[in-house]
Amino acid sequence: MNTPAAEIDIDADLVDRLVRAQHPDLAGPLTLVANGWDNVIYRLGSDLSVRLPRREVAVELIVNEQRWLPVLAGYVEVALPVPVRAGVAGEGYPWPWTIAPWFEGRTVAAVPPAERAGLAVPLAAFMNGLHRPAPPEAPRNPVRGVPLAARDEAVRGRLRSIPRSAELLALWEKAVALPSWQGPALWLHGDPHPANLLAGADGGGLAAVLDFGDLTSGDPATDLAAAWLVFEEEAREVFRAHVEADETTWERARGWALVMGTALAAHSADHPGMAAIGEHVLGQVLLS
């Protein structure tokens, strides 16, 4: 599956005009950083970034981040992209947008899996801090935080085109038969893959957690899928020892790793980096 076409053409000239019209004190040189599925990101000067939806479906996600990231930042010790300023429609651009901090470092996806062990304890601490009861008005997400059974049809469909599908299907059927989450709906990041985590500039430690576009509430096993998305077996055990989860939640987390891994494996034909994450997680779920 290829990256969806942009509904709005966003270039440096448009971003510069928006910043100068609404936040002139922050205007500065712009460098394109990412043009992804939902958003375009520019670096602004040396210490800021500008994030703009490129598709209407992403607008609500930006609004959610603007409303809730200042709240969630108070629960965790790691840096989050809490908006510095909120932008509104203008200059021919129809949607809200955000100016946020720029964090130095490199995404964990760029760190070889064998070198990620130092992230296990701080990532567990982040999740322990974040996973607390969310208010009724927390964002809703139909594909994150929900019972695994709600993802059954999608996972089975993706498995038809993925290697070792018989082994993975057996694991999936075991996971989907587990008891569902019975606790309160907890805050969730929703998409804890390595490209959404930032390692320190020296390659060590967790510098920031990025991209809360899938922010929602529900079953914490969704986020604990990071154990397989991010780590190899030894580091996964360290993460497991420090994160707050009972055995059933841990097993559901493995199921959530299958949900995310099959999605990445099936839908990243034009994005080798994301395809590599999918290959990694599916290999890891078959190990433990």
XYZ file of all heavy atoms in Angstrom, residues 11-57:
370
model
N 4.269 23.439 1.210
C 5.683 23.661 0.933
C 6.228 24.686 1.920
O 5.503 25.245 2.753
C 5.910 24.106 -0.516
C 5.154 25.381 -0.886
O 4.734 26.133 0.024
O 4.981 25.630 -2.092
N 7.522 24.931 1.846
C 8.172 25.822 2.810
C 7.611 27.240 2.730
O 7.520 27.930 3.752
C 9.682 25.825 2.584
N 7.231 27.673 1.538
C 6.683 29.028 1.395
C 5.377 29.167 2.173
O 5.163 30.164 2.886
C 6.464 29.348 -0.083
C 5.858 30.723 -0.287
O 6.541 31.728 0.012
O 4.692 30.805 -0.725
N 4.490 28.171 2.059
C 3.229 28.216 2.796
C 3.490 28.215 4.298
O 2.894 29.002 5.052
C 2.359 27.019 2.418
C 1.094 26.817 3.258
C 0.161 28.016 3.145
C 0.376 25.525 2.855
N 4.371 27.332 4.763
C 4.649 27.246 6.196
C 5.243 28.561 6.697
O 4.871 29.063 7.769
C 5.586 26.068 6.495
C 5.915 25.998 7.987
C 4.959 24.754 6.034
N 6.141 29.139 5.934
C 6.744 30.415 6.326
C 5.690 31.509 6.441
O 5.691 32.296 7.400
C 7.815 30.809 5.303
C 8.546 32.078 5.694
O 9.221 32.088 6.748
O 8.441 33.078 4.957
N 4.756 31.553 5.492
C 3.711 32.576 5.543
C 2.800 32.370 6.752
O 2.394 33.338 7.413
C 2.894 32.545 4.245
C 3.658 33.154 3.059
C 2.791 33.305 1.816
N 2.592 32.042 1.111
C 1.460 31.388 1.013
N 0.357 31.896 1.598
N 1.358 30.261 0.336
N 2.486 31.120 7.063
C 1.651 30.848 8.236
C 2.338 31.285 9.524
O 1.731 31.932 10.392
C 1.331 29.355 8.299
C 0.257 28.831 7.348
C 0.287 27.305 7.291
C -1.130 29.310 7.775
N 3.602 30.931 9.660
C 4.332 31.284 10.879
C 4.453 32.795 11.004
O 4.211 33.379 12.076
C 5.716 30.614 10.895
C 6.538 31.124 12.082
C 5.583 29.099 10.952
N 4.829 33.459 9.911
C 5.014 34.917 9.972
C 3.705 35.647 10.226
O 3.683 36.682 10.907
C 5.669 35.412 8.687
C 7.109 34.951 8.546
C 7.808 35.524 7.326
N 9.153 34.982 7.213
C 10.200 35.417 7.901
N 10.039 36.441 8.751
N 11.391 34.878 7.747
N 2.585 35.118 9.721
C 1.303 35.784 9.923
C 0.773 35.594 11.340
O 0.164 36.510 11.912
C 0.281 35.249 8.909
N 1.012 34.413 11.930
C 0.378 34.106 13.213
C 1.344 34.121 14.400
O 0.926 34.393 15.529
C -0.296 32.731 13.123
C -1.401 32.690 12.071
C -2.103 31.348 12.000
O -2.193 30.611 12.986
N -2.622 31.011 10.822
N 2.608 33.794 14.148
C 3.594 33.748 15.232
C 4.908 34.349 14.734
O 5.938 33.664 14.676
C 3.803 32.301 15.700
C 2.529 31.634 16.137
N 1.894 31.954 17.323
C 1.765 30.688 15.538
C 0.794 31.224 17.441
N 0.690 30.456 16.372
N 4.893 35.628 14.378
C 6.066 36.230 13.725
C 7.325 36.197 14.582
O 8.431 36.182 14.048
C 5.615 37.666 13.445
C 4.462 37.911 14.381
C 3.782 36.583 14.533
N 7.171 36.161 15.893
C 8.348 36.146 16.766
C 9.109 34.830 16.669
O 10.271 34.751 17.104
C 7.952 36.399 18.219
C 6.924 35.406 18.730
O 5.921 35.175 18.023
O 7.108 34.870 19.838
N 8.492 33.792 16.105
C 9.148 32.493 15.982
C 9.636 32.207 14.566
O 10.189 31.139 14.316
C 8.190 31.373 16.418
C 7.683 31.441 17.857
C 6.797 30.238 18.156
C 8.839 31.517 18.858
N 9.436 33.127 13.646
C 9.818 32.894 12.251
C 11.315 32.629 12.129
O 12.124 33.184 12.871
C 9.418 34.084 11.390
N 11.656 31.747 11.202
C 13.062 31.415 10.988
C 13.204 30.447 9.831
O 12.223 30.105 9.158
N 14.434 29.978 9.579
C 14.645 29.056 8.467
C 13.898 27.742 8.655
O 13.752 27.257 9.776
C 16.164 28.824 8.475
C 16.709 29.546 9.641
C 15.652 30.309 10.314
N 13.420 27.197 7.545
C 12.631 25.972 7.566
C 13.344 24.867 6.783
O 13.882 25.111 5.709
C 11.253 26.216 6.947
C 10.309 27.124 7.745
C 9.194 27.645 6.855
C 9.719 26.359 8.932
N 13.299 23.651 7.323
C 13.876 22.487 6.665
C 12.864 21.356 6.705
O 12.394 20.985 7.780
C 15.166 22.032 7.376
O 16.074 23.134 7.474
C 15.830 20.894 6.623
N 12.522 20.816 5.544
C 11.581 19.700 5.497
C 12.199 18.480 6.169
O 13.304 18.061 5.841
C 11.216 19.371 4.050
C 10.248 18.197 3.860
C 8.885 18.511 4.472
C 10.096 17.864 2.375
N 11.460 17.891 7.116
C 11.929 16.723 7.861
C 11.172 15.471 7.452
O 11.750 14.398 7.291
C 11.785 16.956 9.380
C 12.135 15.695 10.161
C 12.639 18.125 9.828
N 9.854 15.575 7.296
C 9.044 14.404 6.993
C 7.789 14.816 6.237
O 7.222 15.880 6.483
C 8.654 13.674 8.277
N 7.390 13.955 5.323
C 6.132 14.115 4.588
C 5.453 12.747 4.620
O 5.630 11.925 3.731
C 6.413 14.572 3.154
C 5.161 15.059 2.453
O 4.048 14.837 2.922
N 5.331 15.715 1.323
N 4.724 12.482 5.717
C 4.252 11.136 5.996
C 2.832 10.883 5.551
O 2.296 11.583 4.687
N 2.224 9.869 6.157
C 0.847 9.510 5.811
C -0.108 10.656 6.097
O -0.970 10.960 5.298
C 0.418 8.286 6.637
C 0.771 6.993 6.002
C 2.015 6.509 5.756
C -0.136 5.993 5.524
N 1.953 5.281 5.171
C 0.642 4.932 5.021
C -1.522 5.882 5.500
C 0.063 3.786 4.474
C -2.091 4.740 4.968
C -1.310 3.707 4.456
N 0.051 11.279 7.264
C -0.947 12.244 7.728
C -0.434 13.669 7.857
O -1.223 14.602 7.768
C -1.485 11.802 9.095
C -2.289 10.510 9.013
O -2.921 10.267 7.974
O -2.277 9.747 9.999
N 0.859 13.832 8.122
C 1.378 15.154 8.444
C 2.662 15.469 7.688
O 3.401 14.569 7.288
C 1.670 15.261 9.950
C 0.423 15.059 10.791
O -0.432 15.929 10.851
N 0.326 13.909 11.433
N 2.896 16.761 7.540
C 4.178 17.272 7.055
C 4.863 17.939 8.238
O 4.221 18.668 9.011
C 3.979 18.283 5.915
C 5.306 18.915 5.514
C 3.332 17.604 4.712
N 6.159 17.687 8.402
C 6.909 18.265 9.518
C 8.100 19.033 8.970
O 8.889 18.504 8.166
C 7.392 17.180 10.497
C 6.196 16.420 11.075
C 8.209 17.813 11.627
C 6.577 15.248 11.944
N 8.219 20.284 9.392
C 9.377 21.120 9.081
C 10.116 21.440 10.373
O 9.492 21.662 11.416
C 8.944 22.437 8.431
C 8.691 22.343 6.942
C 7.465 21.916 6.457
C 9.678 22.677 6.018
C 7.221 21.828 5.095
C 9.444 22.595 4.658
C 8.213 22.173 4.193
O 7.988 22.080 2.851
N 11.424 21.470 10.289
C 12.205 22.026 11.394
C 12.202 23.536 11.233
O 12.412 24.068 10.134
C 13.627 21.479 11.381
C 14.443 21.920 12.589
C 15.780 21.219 12.653
N 16.524 21.595 13.856
C 17.691 21.073 14.210
N 18.249 20.137 13.458
N 18.292 21.465 15.324
N 11.972 24.232 12.346
C 11.906 25.688 12.349
C 13.057 26.216 13.180
O 13.089 26.022 14.406
C 10.564 26.153 12.916
C 10.377 27.653 13.165
C 10.540 28.459 11.877
C 9.013 27.913 13.797
N 14.024 26.872 12.510
C 15.211 27.315 13.229
C 15.955 26.120 13.787
O 16.007 25.047 13.189
N 16.508 26.271 14.996
C 17.302 25.187 15.582
C 16.563 24.405 16.647
O 16.953 23.269 16.952
C 18.583 25.775 16.192
O 18.253 26.707 17.217
N 15.479 24.964 17.205
C 14.889 24.291 18.364
C 13.369 24.136 18.306
O 12.746 23.829 19.318
C 15.274 25.031 19.649
C 14.836 26.485 19.644
O 14.285 26.949 18.630
O 15.043 27.155 20.674
N 12.767 24.312 17.129
C 11.324 24.166 16.989
C 10.994 23.316 15.764
O 11.828 23.132 14.869
C 10.639 25.531 16.855
C 10.738 26.484 18.055
C 10.196 27.855 17.680
C 9.998 25.920 19.266
N 9.759 22.813 15.738
C 9.260 22.104 14.567
C 7.842 22.584 14.277
O 7.141 23.075 15.170
C 9.261 20.587 14.803
O 8.385 20.254 15.868
N 7.424 22.434 13.025
C 6.066 22.787 12.619
C 5.422 21.532 12.037
O 5.992 20.892 11.150
C 6.049 23.912 11.570
C 4.618 24.364 11.312
C 6.907 25.083 12.013
N 4.245 21.180 12.550
C 3.550 19.966 12.122
C 2.199 20.369 11.559
O 1.387 20.989 12.249
C 3.396 19.015 13.308
C 2.932 17.625 12.950
C 3.192 16.687 14.126
N 2.822 15.313 13.809
C 2.002 14.577 14.527
N 1.441 15.082 15.599
N 1.741 13.344 14.184
N 1.946 19.982 10.309
C 0.726 20.376 9.622
C 0.055 19.152 8.995
O 0.712 18.382 8.284
C 1.014 21.387 8.508
C 1.840 22.623 8.855
C 3.303 22.386 8.554
C 1.344 23.842 8.092
N -1.249 18.946 9.211
C -1.942 17.861 8.533
C -1.900 18.035 7.016
O -2.095 19.151 6.511
C -3.372 17.965 9.057
C -3.254 18.700 10.353
C -2.120 19.664 10.163
N -1.670 16.948 6.308
C -1.722 16.947 4.847
C -3.000 16.299 4.339
O -3.287 16.312 3.154
C -0.487 16.235 4.268
C -0.391 14.771 4.613
C 0.982 14.189 4.323
N 1.271 14.056 2.922
C 0.880 13.025 2.161
N 0.139 12.056 2.673
N 1.216 12.976 0.886
N -3.766 15.691 5.300
C -5.053 15.084 4.971
C -6.058 15.466 6.060
O -5.702 15.592 7.233
C -4.945 13.556 4.903
C -3.948 13.033 3.891
C -4.162 11.546 3.655
N -3.975 10.752 4.859
C -4.615 9.611 5.104
N -5.527 9.161 4.273
N -4.362 8.936 6.203
N -7.311 15.617 5.674
C -8.328 16.057 6.637
C -8.487 15.072 7.777
O -8.792 15.458 8.906
C -9.661 16.270 5.927
C -10.730 16.897 6.820
C -11.987 17.267 6.062
O -12.112 16.892 4.884
O -12.844 17.943 6.663
N -8.258 13.775 7.514
C -8.428 12.760 8.553
C -7.490 13.000 9.730
O -7.751 12.550 10.847
C -8.215 11.353 7.955
C -6.760 11.140 7.571
C -8.681 10.272 8.910
